[in-house]
Amino acid sequence: MALCDARGLEDRSVAEGETLSSVWWLLQARHGPKGSIYSLFPPHNFVEAGKNSNRKGVRTKSSEKAASDDHSVPVARVDVREGCPPLGLETLKITDFQLHASTSKRYGLGAHRGRLNIQAGINENDFYDGAWCAGRNDLHQWIEVDARRLTKFTGVITQGRNSLWLSDWVTSYKVMVSNDSHTWVTVKNGSGDMIFEGNSEKEIPVLNELPVPMVARYIRINPRSWFDNGSICMRMEILGCPLPDPNNYYHRRNEMTTTDDLDFKHHNYKEMRQLMKVVNEMCPNITRIYNIGKSHQGLKLYAVEISDHPGEHEVGEPEFHYIAGAHGNEVLGRELTLLLMQFLCQEYLAHNARIVHLVEETRIHILPSLNPDGYEKAYEGGSELGGWSLGRWTHDGIDINNNFPDLNTLLWEAEDRKNIARKVPNHYIAIPEWFLSENATVAVETRAVIAWMEKIPFVLGGNLQGGELVVAYPYDMVRSLWKTQEPSPTPDDHVFRWLAYSYASTHRLMTDARRRVCHTEDFQKEDGTVNGASWHTVAGSLNDFSYLHTNCFELSIYVGCDKYPHESELPEEWENNRESLIVFMEQVHRGIKGVVRDFHGKGIPSAVISVEGVNHDIRTASDGDYWRLLNPGEYVVTAKAEGFTSSTKNCMVGYDMGATQCDFTLSKTNLARIREIMEKFGKQPISLPARRLKLRGRKRRQRG
């Protein structure tokens, strides 16, 4: 960025859309001598970006004296506590081309890997390692960020190397800034260079705030000491406020904005409850707040229902759910679901035809925080300082994501041993007795979700997670023993692939082949989707449990590389996911639906719906209604129930949205009718085999 060419700037009037403060910045910066650093204090009407930044947790002490001492460079005198948001190393807003280093051990440990919370691959191979590591361990090593525009830098956050095998981190460092990447000015502590305290282990982030903000284009970290038995390795994030530049069309064009008037902030438990109450008061006719149980610490697991008849199941209307926050530190899903309930309420009141149709034809349930205990821990750490795992587990240390009963093994063992296959059906597999015992290691939150899903006939659901950008579909558990990765498709694999693609393809980034991978996995070969088991095996996942124990088709939606994005990122993340969240809900109306009745017109509960060629059945709800998700095509469908003769039909599924109506009327079997007549007259039907045995015994006694 050239800072000297200001020809004609003083004489022209302020262009439309520019602020006086913006022009003031440009005048001051461009009249500075080439190669020098100017940290300038803006006019009083300049609003700092990131004023409400959510940053708590581990930080080092900055000397009050350092902030008041003279510097060789003019600096801004502002309250550092108001801080700036992250530039975006973790969220990938800062591209690989903006990161440079003096040296690196190899490509997989290059500057592009020096991002806060980046994760290494299992094998820590040459391409995906967990930090930038210098090629030599000396005092001349550095890693720098090119912000590509004048930026007010306020702080640096560092971590060590993410590694299962090695211990590498930087224990102290200097910070330098530059306008041209050639002439550098070191942040001072009085007359000497300031040495910042680094990390004491590899995972907990440490924040160092600059004694005063520094305005420049480049910022460089120069390690001064490192762990005795390790190497110079680090991950980092830079806190900075990009300065307004009305002449830079590129930046103005790419800044994300949203027109939705929603509450873009991180909500703790109390604020979440209050927001739900506000939505309920705005839309009392279509919303209901209820809870499905309590957390280990006694926090209620609140859900919001959105429907034109809240509180009741309407015959023929499918039920859908979003769950977020199973991992308490993956907070973006929590905020997206809170934004979604606000959006649905507002758009319904505004008579948005698409939203009105969705609300009136679907019973929607939103559970924004399944693990509120974990979230409160993560919230205390804050958006940058919580690390990768703080708050992930429940209060008693359980990972909800793999805490459900393993029904896969029961099914697959039965299929392998065909003589007992009839004892284990291909659906509605019973929960093992050991899992139901009080001594089982099962979270109370897990038990609450199971009871919730057994009570409500969900058809489709998505659980929102974080740390990646992909949609994962079952099975999540590999079928082969001793393997950790292996494609394990369900009998409904084609349906699951479509459901996953419906979300990924409408997300702004998931299917973008140009985007950088979050950590180690590139999911572009399947357009932003992946079979869970081919990624990494998980026994007892919510997805597999839902499919094998209920009618619900459940998918895991990973909504962002950054588990806990800064508050300033929420509007952009909402824009990234808004359409996907709606489109995915609409998929609950794809396939066939209907009611299974007897000849008196009464619905038959628990009737089995089978699709020829698909070895997975579903069952009717208590009113006899059912929904079967299917891709377009013609299907042979059979309905059967105990005591009734089965019925088979051809059902066509079209490409247009809206499930095909496919009803069944079943007649009772002869034996069922006999029993009904006998019971009506107070008698029991005669059991012929038992009668024969009784007669034979009588004859033997007579002979004797």
Side-chain angles (χ1 to χ4, degrees):
M1 180 185 295
L3 300 182
C4 300
D5 185 10
R7 289 172 295 181
L9 183 61
E10 300 92 328
D11 297 328
R12 69 179 178 90
S13 60
V14 179
E16 183 179 357
E18 296 180 12
T19 63
L20 287 172
S21 59
S22 302
V23 176
W24 188 90
W25 274 110
L26 288 170
L27 280 169
Q28 297 296 326
R30 295 183 181 193
H31 282 269
K34 186 175 181 180
S36 65
I37 309 298
Y38 279 79
S39 298
L40 304 167
F41 187 67
H44 68 277
N45 63 336
F46 176 72
V47 179
E48 288 187 9
K51 185 175 181 179
N52 297 319
S53 64
N54 181 352
R55 291 190 284 110
K56 308 172 185 176
V58 179
R59 62 184 71 200
T60 61
K61 296 179 180 178
S62 296
S63 170
E64 296 260 344
K65 181 178 181 296
S68 60
D69 285 335
D70 291 335
H71 288 257
S72 59
V73 179
V75 293
R77 307 285 180 177
V78 295
D79 187 352
V80 74
R81 288 174 299 177
E82 293 185 350
C84 286
L87 288 188
L89 277 76
E90 185 175 7
T91 62
L92 306 182
K93 273 191 170 182
I94 297 296
T95 68
D96 290 351
F97 300 105
Q98 292 174 260
L99 296 170
H100 308 280
S102 52
T103 60
S104 60
K105 283 190 174 181
R106 47 186 166 77
Y107 176 79
L109 292 168
H112 65 292
R113 301 297 294 177
R115 301 173 180 271
L116 194 71
N117 286 319
I118 203 164
Q119 301 294 294
I122 296 175
N123 299 319
E124 299 190 24
N125 57 43
D126 285 345
F127 297 102
Y128 300 114
D129 262 319
W132 160 69
C133 290
R136 299 184 299 273
N137 290 334
D138 59 45
L139 299 179
H140 303 293
Q141 305 307 308
W142 49 261
I143 180 172
E144 73 180 38
V145 180
D146 176 5
R148 289 184 175 170
R149 60 193 295 187
L150 280 181
T151 301
K152 181 175 70 173
F153 298 115
T154 62
V156 177
I157 302 172
T158 60
Q159 279 174 314
R161 177 180 179 177
N162 175 249
S163 172
L164 293 173
W165 323 109
L166 301 171
S167 296
D168 298 316
W169 59 81
V170 170
T171 56
S172 67
Y173 58 88
K174 292 181 182 179
V175 176
M176 297 177 282
V177 292
S178 172
N179 270 0
D180 58 8
S181 78
H182 295 291
T183 303
W184 292 89
V185 172
T186 305
V187 174
K188 301 290 183 180
N189 182 6
S191 59
D193 296 345
M194 187 168 185
I195 304 296
F196 293 92
E197 184 180 343
N199 300 88
S200 58
E201 58 89 70
K202 55 190 174 186
E203 288 299 335
I204 299 177
V206 173
L207 165 66
N208 276 292
E209 294 173 321
L210 304 187
V212 290
M214 304 288 285
V215 173
R217 171 174 167 173
Y218 300 88
I219 186 168
R220 177 179 284 185
I221 309 302
N222 169 219
R224 308 307 294 172
S225 62
W226 44 94
F227 181 56
D228 288 343
N229 298 321
S231 302
I232 297 178
C233 295
M234 64 189 307
R235 295 173 284 169
M236 66 178 187
E237 181 62 87
I238 304 297
L239 305 182
C241 301
L243 301 184
D245 184 356
N247 288 336
N248 193 326
Y249 171 74
Y250 174 82
H251 286 297
R252 283 184 290 139
R253 182 187 64 184
N254 286 278
E255 288 174 352
M256 174 58 64
T257 58
T258 181
T259 58
D260 295 329
D261 183 20
L262 306 173
D263 190 18
F264 293 106
K265 61 167 287 185
H266 288 296
H267 298 81
N268 62 24
Y269 184 75
K270 182 179 179 181
E271 293 166 338
M272 180 187 73
R273 287 187 304 166
Q274 183 60 34
L275 180 60
M276 289 179 169
K277 184 179 179 182
V278 169
V279 171
N280 180 238
E281 290 172 348
M282 284 180 60
C283 296
N285 296 329
I286 63 166
T287 62
R288 177 178 71 99
I289 302 173
Y290 66 100
N291 74 80
I292 69 168
K294 291 183 179 181
S295 71
H296 186 274
Q297 291 290 86
L299 299 178
K300 291 183 179 178
L301 307 177
Y302 284 107
V304 169
E305 176 192 341
I306 302 175
S307 168
D308 58 340
H309 292 88
E312 62 179 280
H313 170 72
E314 298 178 69
V315 176
E317 186 171 292
E319 309 236 10
F320 175 93
H321 72 248
Y322 274 127
I323 299 173
H327 295 148
N329 65 329
E330 294 170 10
V331 307
L332 180 55
R334 173 191 180 112
E335 297 307 329
L336 288 175
T337 54
L338 292 176
L339 292 167
L340 178 63
M341 63 179 69
Q342 297 173 65
F343 179 80
L344 293 176
C345 172
Q346 290 181 7
E347 294 302 303
Y348 186 86
L349 294 177
H351 305 292
N352 180 324
R354 182 186 186 190
I355 301 303
V356 169
H357 181 267
L358 182 63
V359 170
E360 292 183 349
E361 298 298 323
T362 318
R363 192 179 180 204
I364 302 165
H365 303 258
I366 299 176
L367 179 66
S369 185
L370 177 55
N371 181 8
D373 297 347
Y375 175 84
E376 292 302 304
K377 291 181 182 178
Y379 186 79
E380 284 300 310
S383 58
E384 284 77 60
L385 301 178
W388 188 252
S389 60
L390 180 65
R392 175 184 177 90
W393 299 280
T394 63
H395 185 77
D396 48 344
I398 296 175
D399 186 340
I400 297 177
N401 194 50
N402 58 359
N403 191 225
F404 293 83
D406 170 18
L407 305 181
N408 304 58
T409 300
L410 295 177
L411 173 66
W412 294 336
E413 285 181 351
E415 290 179 348
D416 293 338
R417 297 163 60 190
K418 296 181 180 179
N419 58 320
I420 64 167
R422 292 184 180 181
K423 295 181 181 179
V424 179
N426 64 15
H427 71 299
Y428 271 49
I429 300 174
I431 297 175
E433 290 186 10
W434 67 264
F435 187 90
L436 300 174
S437 69
E438 293 183 1
N439 296 328
T441 307
V442 181
V444 292
E445 296 88 348
T446 305
R447 295 192 190 278
V449 170
I450 291 175
W452 185 47
M453 299 191 72
E454 289 178 334
K455 180 180 179 182
I456 299 175
F458 291 118
V459 180
L460 177 62
N463 58 89
L464 305 187
Q465 301 190 46
E468 264 297 348
L469 202 55
V470 68
V471 182
Y473 54 89
Y475 291 122
D476 287 333
M477 181 179 175
V478 297
R479 183 158 185 166
S480 300
L481 295 175
W482 315 116
K483 286 191 176 181
T484 59
Q485 292 177 304
E486 178 189 49
S488 298
T490 67
D492 285 288
D493 188 58
H494 292 294
V495 178
F496 274 115
R497 285 174 180 269
W498 168 255
L499 293 171
Y501 185 69
S502 71
Y503 194 101
S505 63
T506 48
H507 190 279
R508 291 184 63 251
L509 298 175
M510 277 191 190
T511 54
D512 185 352
R514 299 167 298 175
R515 75 170 181 86
R516 185 195 188 283
V517 300
C518 292
H519 300 281
T520 64
E521 302 286 347
D522 186 358
F523 299 108
Q524 291 308 310
K525 58 186 177 183
E526 292 189 47
D527 294 316
T529 70
V530 67
N531 171 254
S534 68
W535 181 12
H536 58 268
T537 186
V538 175
S541 75
L542 173 58
N543 293 349
D544 291 3
F545 169 79
S546 298
Y547 184 68
L548 296 175
H549 185 68
T550 77
N551 287 341
C552 186
F553 284 39
E554 185 89 18
L555 293 86
S556 293
I557 303 168
Y558 293 79
V559 291
C561 303
D562 187 353
K563 290 185 176 185
Y564 198 149
H566 188 271
E567 209 161 79
S568 60
E569 299 290 332
L570 294 179
E572 181 171 354
E573 292 295 353
W574 169 246
E575 288 295 321
N576 288 343
N577 287 276
R578 179 183 57 194
E579 180 66 14
S580 301
L581 289 166
I582 297 170
V583 166
F584 188 70
M585 286 192 289
E586 291 173 333
Q587 303 313 305
V588 77
H589 296 283
R590 186 172 295 279
I592 61 175
K593 67 177 182 179
V595 182
V596 180
R597 301 182 177 90
D598 62 19
F599 266 100
H600 301 290
K602 183 180 179 181
I604 303 174
S606 297
V608 176
I609 306 297
S610 301
V611 178
E612 186 176 281
V614 182
N615 187 29
H616 181 79
D617 304 332
I618 63 164
R619 298 196 182 193
T620 57
S622 57
D623 296 308
D625 47 349
Y626 77 92
W627 307 263
R628 183 49 163 105
L629 296 177
L630 292 167
N631 286 345
E634 185 174 354
Y635 299 92
V636 178
V637 183
T638 299
K640 52 189 175 184
E642 187 176 352
F644 293 85
T645 58
S646 62
S647 176
T648 299
K649 285 186 175 181
N650 288 339
C651 301
M652 177 69 72
V653 177
Y655 287 90
D656 296 333
M657 186 60 69
T660 301
Q661 193 76 25
C662 200
D663 297 327
F664 293 88
T665 300
L666 305 185
S667 58
K668 291 191 175 180
T669 62
N670 290 335
L671 182 58
R673 283 200 293 267
I674 291 171
R675 284 177 175 164
E676 189 177 70
I677 293 170
M678 298 293 285
E679 288 173 0
K680 184 176 181 180
F681 292 100
K683 297 180 180 180
Q684 295 297 322
I686 298 171
S687 175
L688 295 179
R691 181 177 175 81
R692 290 194 190 100
L693 289 173
K694 190 175 182 180
L695 290 173
R696 288 174 184 169
R698 186 181 300 172
K699 289 179 179 178
R700 279 195 292 267
R701 285 194 297 272
Q702 288 174 352
R703 291 186 189 127

